[in-house]
Amino acid sequence: MSFLHLAIFLPFLMAMLIPIFYRWTNQLHTGWIVLPIPVILFIYFLTFIPQTMQGVVTETMPWIPSLGINFTVVVDGLSLLFALLITGIGSLVTFYSIFYLGKKKERLNNFYAFLFIFMTAMLGVVLSDNLVVLYLFWEMTSISSFLLIGYWYHRERSRYGARKSLLITVFGGLMLLGGILLLHVITGSFSLREIIGEASVVQASSLFIPAMILILLGAFTKSAQVPFHVWLPDAMEAPTPVSAYLHSATMVKAGLYLVARFTPLFAVSGVWFWTISLVGIVTLFWGSITATKKQDLKAILAYSTISQLGMIMTLLGVGAAALHYDSWSDDIYIGALVAAVFHLFNHATFKGSLFMMVGIVDHETGTRDIKRLGGLMRIMPITATIAFIGTFAMAGLPPFNGFLSKEMFFQSMVDVTTLNLFNADTWGILLPVIAWVGSIFTFVYSMIIFFKTFGGKLKPHLLPKKPHEAPLGLLLPPLILSALVVITGLFPNLIAKPLLEPAVKSIMPSLYGTDYHVHISFWHGFTMALLMTFGVIILGILLYKTANWWRPFIKEKVPRFFQWGKAYDNSMYYMEQGSYRFTLWIMTGWLRTYLNYMLMAFIILMLGTIFATDALNFDISTISRVTMMDYVLALVIVVTLVGVVFSKSRITSIILLGAMGYTISIFFIVARAPDLALTQLVIETISVVLYLLVFYHLPQFSNIEEKPKWLSVKTLISFGVGLVVFLISLSAYDTTFYDSISQYYIDNTYTKAAGKNIVNVILVDFRGFDTLFETVVLAVASIGIFGMVKLRLARREKNENK
Amino acid sequence: MELLMSILIGLMFMAATYLILSKSLLRIILGTAILSHGVNLLILTMGGLKKGKAPLLDTPGLPAYNDPLPQALILTAIVISFGVTAFFLVLAYRAYQELDSESVSKTRGHESDDE
């Protein structure tokens, strides 16, 4: 247990203490008490920067060593970048939420407990080396996210959104677990670094593709890639600090983290390259188009998050090509990975600030609907500045950091067309074209966010509240993020060397030790990418100006073809309906139906086994001789059987049943079993008396019975059962493998047990326990009968009611 | 002999199954009674129907004894099935008293209980 382990669990420990603090401190907002934790962690993780520039830091704590599950924490460039984002934005969000959530009306203890459990889970995901531990934290993020989305649980939409996100992300989580187990089957290890060390073994395995697809399903569901993106817009029912933290900066990037982590293992495959690139580019395209048609600011931001995540995913896919080049010095595909990591950082900064900005607008005006907003620039100048920086960075305009990463994105997309791997030279042209169109729509929705909210005329009559500038506490966190956007935009190399370069080296571990250096130049000459950016700006402005003309078209026509959300709702509905109907259909409530099921299963299983194992080997030579007497007895039994089955009178049935019992006792005499014959006679007599006694109180049964039909399920099943028993009896009879153990009884009945009736000695001496409990059965039956006859609770009530 | 017994046992099982699948409670009980007869005969047949002596030590005559173990098992089975049959009978009697019907259709739960 090192301080690194403690650092991961520090927010969790705090979450356990929050209820105590919440009760003790009535005056102070709970947020102030918990705020130091993420700040301390942020500073602590900053101290790792010099170390990760050199190599990795590893700490191990045994958890279940016998299963190879140890809590190993590894800090490398990628983990550190994520850990800094989690703790840094975590601090800002905690600070923001102090001013956002009212002290009186909100359940702050719940909020901060959920938030800090999430923080621990997220730190665990990015710092764990052991895949089982990673999975554990992965599910912990799903659960804490579920709790946070459903924070206002009295709202129906919150509960719906929380359930939807839980179902989808837990589905992905389970797929991820499957992938982890497959990797364990291949390599025998749960350690990510050991598995990557054995990459050649994994790549040669036949389980390579299944493991890859399962892990990708986990990543795609978490990172809201098409078609699993449907949960993210509904997760916007969460409080805005949660949206800013989980659903833009951290949790949705867990999938990207996973893809980046597994790149050294899977990137040799063309399936990996194409799946990630195509899913990412489709997500980018679809997210940006859909964002333009939304009215709610948070919905626009949700779809823009989906779109930007798709962009990073595409970059990771293209970056996978870098593994196929030997010399790193002139490799252009490393550039894609740099762009991915850089944009990951940039997106966390500007999207966090944008969500906080929307929270401020919501807080100060009472609405997030862009139809009712407008002209807030004069009233809320600082918020407008934040929004300006955020949206222009998102649109990819200079001098903000989004411009740089978008340029690198275009450059990578253009470079794909020159790639001569995985058929990229023929189909690769798709990527830059779709990316470019998607980017135009990104520009458009960014402009919609800014100008519809802050530009135009103020509509005071539409706003629930009288708008005014927000307090400094709400403005400070987004201002810090905006400052980061500008600083990294102007001086990208400030973070390039300490943060981005180690992160890229962790995605491509073979880069360690080479002289590869990340350098981001602000001005890189007139390239194709710059021309594409000009095109985006020109077409984007045109589209924004004509938005009133084409937005209705997208709003009304497109949804008819693509309604992912509806597909989810319908599948849930049909699954519930289907299982309900199936249960109603199969569980009829009639005992006869269930008997049919059981007997049919018996017939099918038995017949199948008999024929599959060729069990019918009846040997006629061991058969014993049949006498005339046997034929007569058998005939009598058959006659009584027919009589009982077809009789319409109960008295006939009873008498025939008695006749059958007596015939069987004669059978016992013939088979030299005197005790059996005696017992059978007595029992049959008592039974017949009992039948007569009870039947006296019962009606004739023929009136409810349908006429016997020769071809009915009932007939077929009873024929089948008879046949199966006949076949079993035939094939089981001839078991001459071993002699009977009865010789022991015959030899020792007199000498050891002092009796001459062997059956009786077996019953009371050799196997006396059987007899003891048989007696108990009789006692229980008689007590039960006594109880049934005497105990009349329901009848008494009925009489009282009368 | 075993072939004959196997056919007989098969027929008994067939009749018993047919009766158990009826609507009337009493026919079902008759079916279980026939079923237990069939099972007893099956145990006896599987133990071997060689015509030896009855398993009493001082019986003179034939050289070998019949297998005593299946007989002991059947004796136990007869008593247990008698206990269960008696219980079933009284149960059917009580069910008829409470429900005024001997049809198993009446023993189905209410439609509203399913939902």
Side-chain angles (χ1 to χ4, degrees):
Chain A
M1 182 97 183
S2 61
F3 189 74
L4 206 49
H5 292 96
L6 190 68
I8 292 177
F9 281 109
L10 208 55
F12 192 74
L13 295 176
M14 193 66 208
M16 289 200 274
L17 293 177
I18 282 169
I20 300 169
F21 286 128
Y22 184 67
R23 277 185 196 249
W24 283 356
T25 52
N26 292 321
Q27 302 302 315
L28 201 59
H29 193 287
T30 320
W32 291 112
I33 299 164
V34 299
L35 184 60
I37 299 281
V39 175
I40 289 168
L41 287 179
F42 181 69
I43 295 166
Y44 173 67
F45 281 117
L46 278 178
T47 62
F48 277 94
I49 289 180
Q51 285 164 287
T52 51
M53 284 168 75
Q54 305 302 321
V56 296
V57 181
T58 313
E59 297 281 355
T60 304
M61 186 177 81
W63 181 28
I64 315 174
S66 57
L67 295 179
I69 298 171
N70 293 311
F71 189 8
T72 307
V73 178
V74 171
V75 187
D76 61 6
L78 190 66
S79 306
L80 189 68
L81 177 66
F82 270 93
L84 287 174
L85 285 179
I86 293 159
T87 50
I89 296 183
S91 316
L92 295 176
V93 161
T94 312
F95 186 82
Y96 179 81
S97 64
I98 293 171
F99 295 90
Y100 188 82
L101 294 173
K103 190 172 154 33
K104 290 272 149 51
K105 44 183 186 177
E106 302 289 353
R107 293 163 292 114
L108 293 172
N109 53 343
N110 292 12
F111 180 80
Y112 287 108
F114 298 160
L115 196 73
F116 275 56
I117 291 172
F118 171 79
M119 206 181 282
T120 283
M122 206 57 214
L123 283 174
V125 166
V126 299
L127 292 171
S128 297
D129 175 61
N130 194 288
L131 289 176
V132 174
V133 179
L134 188 145
Y135 172 71
L136 184 89
F137 284 117
W138 183 274
E139 292 298 32
M140 214 163 131
T141 63
S142 297
I143 292 165
S144 50
S145 160
F146 167 77
L147 292 170
L148 282 166
I149 297 169
Y151 173 68
W152 287 310
Y153 54 77
H154 47 85
R155 295 184 190 167
E156 207 273 330
R157 294 295 303 170
S158 293
R159 299 197 303 269
Y160 172 78
R163 195 169 60 233
K164 192 173 186 177
S165 74
L166 187 75
L167 281 174
I168 294 179
T169 52
V170 167
F171 162 75
L174 286 175
M175 296 299 123
L176 172 66
L177 180 64
I180 289 170
L181 293 179
L182 284 186
L183 286 181
H184 180 72
V185 167
I186 300 171
T187 61
S189 169
F190 280 123
S191 162
L192 187 58
R193 268 153 195 81
E194 283 173 27
I195 290 174
I196 289 174
E198 292 185 53
S200 55
V201 180
V202 178
Q203 284 148 13
S205 165
S206 58
L207 294 175
F208 176 69
I209 295 282
M212 177 203 292
I213 288 176
L214 288 176
I215 285 172
L216 277 183
L217 274 177
F220 287 165
T221 49
K222 201 70 156 186
S223 280
Q225 301 293 300
V226 168
F228 305 112
H229 66 284
V230 288
W231 66 268
L232 188 59
D234 285 298
M236 292 300 133
E237 297 297 324
T240 303
V242 173
S243 307
Y245 187 37
L246 273 68
H247 306 125
S248 71
T250 55
M251 188 179 90
V252 288
K253 298 211 166 87
L256 300 174
Y257 169 80
L258 204 66
V259 169
R261 259 294 171 245
F262 278 101
T263 295
L265 192 63
F266 291 125
V268 292
S269 161
V271 179
W272 176 266
F273 170 84
W274 276 114
T275 312
I276 295 177
S277 305
L278 284 183
V279 168
I281 205 90
V282 168
T283 308
L284 160 69
F285 182 74
W286 184 252
S288 59
I289 294 249
T290 316
T292 56
K293 75 180 195 200
K294 293 290 169 188
Q295 298 289 341
D296 182 5
L297 280 175
K298 268 178 103 173
I300 300 178
L301 286 180
Y303 278 102
S304 101
T305 303
I306 292 169
S307 160
Q308 307 272 324
L309 292 171
M311 171 175 160
I312 302 172
M313 194 65 91
T314 313
L315 284 169
L316 286 174
V318 173
L323 205 70
H324 295 270
Y325 290 87
D326 289 334
S327 68
W328 306 110
S329 50
D330 59 340
D331 183 9
I332 44 182
Y333 301 105
I334 292 273
L337 290 179
V338 176
V341 174
F342 190 37
H343 196 71
L344 198 143
F345 174 84
N346 294 344
H347 177 249
T349 52
F350 67 68
K351 194 53 67 68
S353 77
L354 282 177
F355 267 108
M356 290 176 184
M357 177 278 290
V358 169
I360 292 170
V361 170
D362 190 12
H363 214 259
E364 303 306 331
T365 64
T367 183
R368 301 191 307 244
D369 190 340
I370 53 171
K371 279 212 166 141
R372 300 160 83 179
L373 291 166
L376 292 174
M377 194 146 14
R378 294 251 173 80
I379 301 164
M380 306 167 77
I382 306 174
T383 318
T385 313
I386 295 164
F388 175 78
I389 296 171
T391 49
F392 277 63
M394 184 157 73
L397 296 175
F400 307 113
N401 57 12
F403 169 69
L404 298 173
S405 45
K406 178 137 299 187
E407 287 293 287
M408 291 155 75
F409 171 60
F410 281 152
Q411 191 58 49
S412 315
M413 289 301 115
V414 172
D415 290 339
V416 171
T417 50
T418 63
L419 184 67
N420 53 5
L421 287 166
F422 318 129
N423 300 326
D425 42 351
T426 46
W427 293 101
I429 189 73
L430 278 176
L431 293 179
V433 171
I434 302 175
W436 188 65
V437 177
S439 297
I440 295 172
F441 281 96
T442 305
F443 184 89
V444 173
Y445 71 69
S446 301
M447 295 306 108
I448 289 176
I449 292 177
F450 183 72
F451 287 107
K452 296 274 182 193
T453 311
F454 296 97
K457 270 188 287 210
L458 189 64
K459 298 166 229 174
H461 55 285
L462 287 174
L463 297 178
K465 286 185 189 171
K466 193 172 166 8
H468 54 80
E469 185 57 278
L472 184 66
L474 276 178
L475 289 170
L476 196 59
L479 276 177
I480 293 173
L481 287 173
S482 299
L484 269 177
V485 171
V486 177
I487 291 168
T488 52
L490 292 176
F491 310 104
N493 289 311
L494 279 180
I495 62 161
K497 184 131 180 79
L499 281 178
L500 302 185
E501 191 179 306
V504 172
K505 282 185 174 174
S506 340
I507 300 177
M508 285 283 154
S510 43
L511 278 180
Y512 279 113
T514 59
D515 57 346
Y516 181 77
H517 292 297
V518 171
H519 185 78
I520 300 166
S521 53
F522 188 75
W523 172 254
H524 39 76
F526 282 102
T527 56
M528 184 70 192
L530 195 65
L531 290 178
M532 283 167 82
T533 303
F534 280 130
V536 165
I537 294 169
I538 293 164
L539 277 176
I541 290 171
L542 277 178
L543 275 177
Y544 177 71
K545 288 286 172 201
T546 56
N548 290 336
W549 175 75
W550 56 264
R551 270 180 81 210
F553 175 77
I554 289 192
K555 233 183 242 173
E556 283 156 26
K557 299 280 162 132
V558 178
R560 276 187 210 157
F561 301 104
F562 293 103
Q563 288 181 314
W564 303 105
K566 199 153 226 171
Y568 165 83
D569 289 338
N570 282 343
S571 65
M572 295 307 288
Y573 174 78
Y574 286 118
M575 269 197 279
E576 281 176 20
Q577 274 298 307
S579 44
Y580 176 67
R581 292 218 183 113
F582 180 73
T583 314
L584 271 194
W585 174 63
I586 200 162
M587 306 297 283
T588 56
W590 303 101
L591 284 178
R592 280 214 285 171
T593 319
Y594 306 142
L595 273 174
N596 282 345
Y597 297 154
M598 287 191 270
L599 294 172
M600 270 193 263
F602 169 75
I603 295 167
I604 292 165
L605 289 177
M606 285 302 165
L607 279 183
T609 316
I610 287 174
F611 287 114
T613 58
D614 198 21
L616 278 176
N617 50 352
F618 181 56
D619 183 9
I620 209 136
S621 63
T622 59
I623 209 163
S624 54
R625 203 167 45 81
V626 190
T627 58
M628 196 60 207
M629 180 74 170
D630 300 328
Y631 280 122
V632 172
L633 288 178
L635 190 69
V636 172
I637 288 183
V638 171
V639 168
T640 54
L641 277 178
V642 172
V644 171
V645 170
F646 293 102
S647 156
K648 292 225 191 306
S649 138
R650 57 188 173 160
I651 214 83
T652 323
S653 304
I654 297 165
I655 289 167
L656 285 172
L657 190 69
M660 192 191 305
Y662 290 133
T663 320
I664 286 172
S665 67
I666 300 174
F667 245 126
F668 288 149
I669 294 171
V670 171
R672 309 285 201 280
D675 302 281
L676 282 186
L678 279 175
T679 317
Q680 179 69 29
L681 270 175
V682 174
I683 293 279
E684 201 56 43
T685 313
I686 299 173
S687 295
V688 168
V689 170
L690 208 68
Y691 282 120
L692 289 173
L693 262 179
V694 173
F695 279 28
Y696 177 73
H697 298 278
L698 297 176
Q700 290 285 348
F701 52 50
S702 48
N703 56 347
I704 58 161
E705 205 64 45
E706 74 272 25
K707 283 224 173 97
K709 270 182 268 172
W710 288 110
L711 262 179
S712 62
V713 181
K714 196 166 139 180
T715 328
L716 283 175
I717 285 181
S718 34
F719 180 75
V721 169
L723 181 73
V724 167
V725 172
F726 167 67
L727 290 176
I728 291 174
S729 147
L730 265 192
S731 51
Y733 152 68
D734 183 33
T735 48
T736 47
F737 304 110
Y738 300 101
D739 288 335
S740 169
I741 55 168
S742 298
Q743 196 54 45
Y744 172 82
Y745 296 125
I746 294 166
D747 293 343
N748 294 303
T749 295
Y750 189 70
T751 52
K752 290 202 171 147
K756 291 191 173 175
N757 184 335
I758 307 176
V759 174
N760 282 7
V761 169
I762 289 175
L763 280 176
V764 297
D765 200 321
F766 290 126
R767 300 174 57 90
F769 270 118
D770 287 0
T771 315
L772 173 66
F773 291 108
E774 169 197 339
T775 324
V776 173
V777 167
L778 273 190
V780 170
S782 47
I783 293 169
I785 290 168
F786 182 78
M788 271 196 296
V789 173
K790 288 285 175 191
L791 207 61
R792 304 281 168 96
L793 297 173
R795 179 60 62 88
R796 203 179 301 146
E797 269 169 32
K798 215 184 265 176
N799 290 342
E800 279 167 9
N801 289 342
K802 277 172 191 169
Chain B
M1 176 79 193
E2 280 81 0
L3 189 62
L4 179 73
M5 290 301 282
S6 294
I7 295 168
L8 188 63
I9 292 160
L11 288 174
M12 289 176 88
F13 269 83
M14 194 193 282
T17 313
Y18 189 85
L19 286 172
I20 285 172
L21 290 173
S22 323
K23 279 183 187 165
S24 151
L25 269 179
L26 301 177
R27 278 181 185 269
I28 293 175
I29 295 168
L30 291 178
T32 57
I34 295 177
L35 194 70
S36 53
H37 285 320
V39 171
N40 292 344
L41 284 185
L42 187 64
I43 299 175
L44 194 71
T45 313
M46 293 299 103
L49 288 169
K50 292 183 202 76
K51 298 282 169 72
K53 291 190 285 186
L56 300 168
L57 276 183
D58 46 358
T59 317
L62 296 161
Y65 293 102
N66 262 6
D67 196 339
L69 194 57
Q71 298 191 9
L73 295 181
I74 294 169
L75 201 61
T76 313
I78 288 175
V79 175
I80 289 175
S81 68
F82 167 70
V84 175
T85 307
F87 185 84
F88 275 173
L89 269 174
V90 178
L91 189 67
Y93 162 66
R94 291 285 296 123
Y96 174 64
Q97 276 189 328
E98 296 291 328
L99 302 171
D100 296 327
S101 164
E102 57 139 5
S103 165
V104 277
S105 316
K106 289 280 177 181
T107 58
R108 188 173 184 246
H110 286 288
E111 199 72 42
S112 55
D113 295 343
D114 295 341
E115 286 159 35

